[in-house]
Amino acid sequence: MFYPKTPFLSNSLLEAEILKVNSAAVSQLLEWLCRTPRVTTYRVNRLRTNVETHKAQLEEHLARRYPCGQQAPRIYGLADLPEVLCIAPLEAELALSVPDPTLKEVIVDTSCGAALLRGAHIYAPGVLAMESNTQLQECVNVYADLAGKCKRGMTTRYENSEKVYVGVGKVLMQRYQLYNDKDEAPTGIAVEMQSNVSGVPSLGDLSSADALLQNLPSIVCVRVLDPQPGERILDMCAAPGNKTTHIAELMGDQGCVVALDNSASRVRGMLGKLGNNYRSIQAHVFDSTKAVAASSDSSCPSAPPFPCASFDRILLDAPCSGLGNRPQLLCNIKQAKILKSYPNIQRRLLAQAVQLLRPGGILVYSTCTVTEAECESIVAWALRKYPELRLLDATPRYGGPGLPLPDLETAQSKLLQRFGPGNDLDTVGFFIAKFQKD
């Protein structure tokens, strides 16, 4: 299993923030954040295909990827999530953990390195450096540059004690294709990973209209929302739209899913992905902190801002510090004020959500982080601020309970769902709370 020795582990700012989570478990949590989640999950679009058909397609792909008697990764489902297919990690003997000293080297940045450990290949823009005379189809050792000092396009071997080995790849593009003076940057896969040290199968992204590569907690999050056909549902921070499409699929594409995001480019990307496949989804470029209309008009317009009590269910997958995204090869957060800014925006969004939710409606709040300030503390604040809110059990449950707080009863903490160290399924860090408005 991969345990990188990185500057992330000694980042005093991040450690101070995580100490608020649980001082007794800070070391365990930091190590966990640096490891790679072992399970790869795909969400099958059951409006287009069925799970068994897609499973057969995946098995056929894996048979081609691991021929000649190699043991292919196991594919399995989850009882409470019938749209999910999981790909198990490779057996230990199939994952190389020691670099071959006879191979040339390719260097990538930490963001790309983390993706490789999750099973990705290296696209052309991700190649920081490749040694001279590296040939097509040649196998190379791939390293992530933790120090951030590798100069793009360097021709000699990058010598630095803070580069970390992530696996072996096969070269599909040579240096002259990667580092040229043409206006158009090269695209496509430059290095196809053959294996990595995490044991996660190097398959690239097999997403299609039939199935989407998606983290398990994100899938669970929409199941906790439990959208029903014919309902009017708001996804407040929707881009890139993965949870939005899941909502529409669980509704049988019957009803209305309003997707808001304040980034025009992200909404354009989401619309391109949606195509004409979902008639129930309406996407808008809009700031959800201003989603409540000033007028008390009871009509329900098709575009934001909206009158109070306009929605049956609301998903607030809030902007956050993203510290649950694993593996964390390097912490890039420099200033404490950046971490402290997230709870403010999260509270502003929740305030809008409470007003937009009809009585009896369901609100799900989620983040992909692990800090108490952005998770349990936000829940405690919402319950104090809005007595009309009460917690419901965030089921189906694949994570653990929330952390105990002085202003959260033990029974309330148990209704929350936190994905962290010790869960049965090894996932990214994530948090889910489910409210009902009386």
Side-chain angles (χ1 to χ4, degrees):
M1 191 170 289
F2 185 55
Y3 293 85
K5 184 179 180 182
T6 76
F8 172 81
L9 288 174
S10 60
N11 185 287
S12 58
L13 165 62
L14 182 60
E15 187 164 333
E17 290 298 321
I18 293 180
L19 276 169
K20 296 179 184 177
V21 175
N22 189 333
S23 59
V26 63
S27 178
Q28 177 193 16
L29 179 55
L30 286 168
E31 285 190 0
W32 180 79
L33 288 171
C34 288
R35 299 179 204 158
T36 305
R38 302 272 285 166
V39 177
T40 302
T41 47
Y42 279 87
R43 171 171 60 80
V44 177
N45 182 351
R46 296 192 295 167
L47 297 179
R48 292 178 55 92
T49 186
N50 62 70
V51 174
E52 287 305 314
T53 296
H54 195 73
K55 182 180 179 182
Q57 293 171 352
L58 277 178
E59 288 172 338
E60 182 180 347
H61 180 90
L62 290 174
R64 293 194 302 269
R65 178 69 177 78
Y66 299 97
C68 305
Q70 287 184 326
Q71 184 176 351
R74 181 172 65 94
I75 301 175
Y76 61 96
L78 298 172
D80 292 336
L81 302 173
E83 67 273 35
V84 170
L85 286 174
C86 301
I87 303 178
L90 291 163
E91 298 298 327
E93 62 267 24
L94 293 181
L96 297 177
S97 58
V98 179
D100 182 343
T102 66
L103 301 182
K104 294 189 181 73
E105 295 182 5
V106 162
I107 308 296
V108 300
D109 64 19
T110 53
S111 176
C112 182
L116 302 185
L117 293 170
R118 295 293 305 271
H121 299 307
I122 308 175
Y123 285 80
V127 182
L128 284 180
M130 177 185 288
E131 291 187 68
S132 294
N133 300 316
T134 303
Q135 303 300 310
L136 289 177
Q137 304 298 311
E138 183 176 351
C139 284
V140 292
N141 291 325
V142 179
Y143 289 84
D145 175 29
L146 302 185
K149 295 180 179 179
C150 179
K151 293 182 179 179
R152 184 169 185 82
M154 69 180 297
T155 59
T156 58
R157 178 163 295 195
Y158 174 60
E159 300 293 351
N160 191 293
S161 60
E162 293 184 11
K163 68 179 183 183
V164 61
Y165 174 65
V166 295
V168 171
K170 182 172 65 176
V171 174
L172 302 184
M173 290 186 188
Q174 290 181 280
R175 284 189 54 84
Y176 76 90
Q177 297 171 282
L178 298 170
Y179 312 115
N180 56 50
D181 297 327
K182 296 179 181 178
D183 292 336
E184 290 188 11
T187 60
I189 296 175
V191 180
E192 184 182 76
M193 296 298 292
Q194 303 300 294
S195 64
N196 60 55
V197 296
S198 69
V200 174
S202 294
L203 302 174
D205 187 352
L206 303 179
S207 293
S208 66
D210 290 341
L212 178 72
L213 179 66
Q214 190 173 14
N215 288 320
L216 179 66
S218 295
I219 300 171
V220 172
C221 179
V222 174
R223 277 290 180 173
V224 171
L225 183 67
D226 193 24
Q228 300 296 313
E231 291 183 328
R232 184 173 174 83
I233 297 178
L234 175 63
D235 187 351
M236 294 186 74
C237 304
N242 296 340
K243 296 182 184 69
T244 313
T245 56
H246 192 194
I247 292 169
E249 289 163 22
L250 292 182
M251 295 169 64
D253 207 19
Q254 299 175 32
C256 179
V257 185
V258 177
L260 304 183
D261 200 275
N262 63 1
S263 167
S265 61
R266 283 164 62 87
V267 171
R268 282 196 300 271
M270 182 171 66
L271 289 172
K273 183 167 58 178
L274 295 177
N276 297 317
N277 296 322
Y278 300 91
R279 62 179 180 272
S280 62
I281 297 176
Q282 302 173 3
H284 304 275
V285 180
F286 198 81
D287 181 356
S288 285
T289 65
K290 303 172 183 177
V292 177
S295 169
S296 59
D297 186 354
S298 61
S299 64
C300 198
S302 59
F306 302 104
C308 293
S310 290
F311 295 95
D312 299 298
R313 297 175 197 260
I314 296 176
L315 173 61
L316 173 51
D317 186 47
C320 68
S321 57
L323 296 179
N325 292 321
R326 304 169 59 210
Q328 294 269 0
L329 297 187
L330 186 67
C331 179
N332 293 318
I333 295 178
K334 306 291 184 184
Q335 300 175 0
K337 67 179 182 181
I338 298 176
L339 278 176
K340 292 177 180 178
S341 70
Y342 289 108
N344 178 54
I345 185 70
Q346 291 155 359
R347 287 190 290 266
R348 289 171 61 195
L349 288 164
L350 257 173
Q352 297 285 295
V354 173
Q355 296 176 72
L356 291 171
L357 189 64
R358 68 165 177 79
I362 298 297
L363 165 63
V364 168
Y365 171 79
S366 64
T367 65
C368 58
T369 195
V370 294
T371 66
E372 177 189 291
E374 299 173 77
C375 300
E376 289 85 358
S377 291
I378 292 292
V379 171
W381 170 84
L383 293 174
R384 290 194 307 271
K385 180 77 172 177
Y386 303 103
E388 65 268 36
L389 292 182
R390 60 187 177 92
L391 280 175
L392 299 181
D393 196 3
T395 56
R397 187 169 291 278
Y398 286 86
L403 299 173
L405 288 183
D407 48 356
L408 266 184
E409 298 175 5
T410 301
Q412 291 175 318
S413 294
K414 290 181 178 179
L415 296 175
L416 307 174
Q417 188 165 184
R418 173 180 274 266
F419 292 81
N423 290 159
D424 291 339
L425 285 174
D426 193 11
T427 71
V428 297
F430 206 86
F431 177 83
I432 305 173
K434 183 176 184 176
F435 302 92
Q436 185 168 39
K437 182 178 178 180
D438 292 333

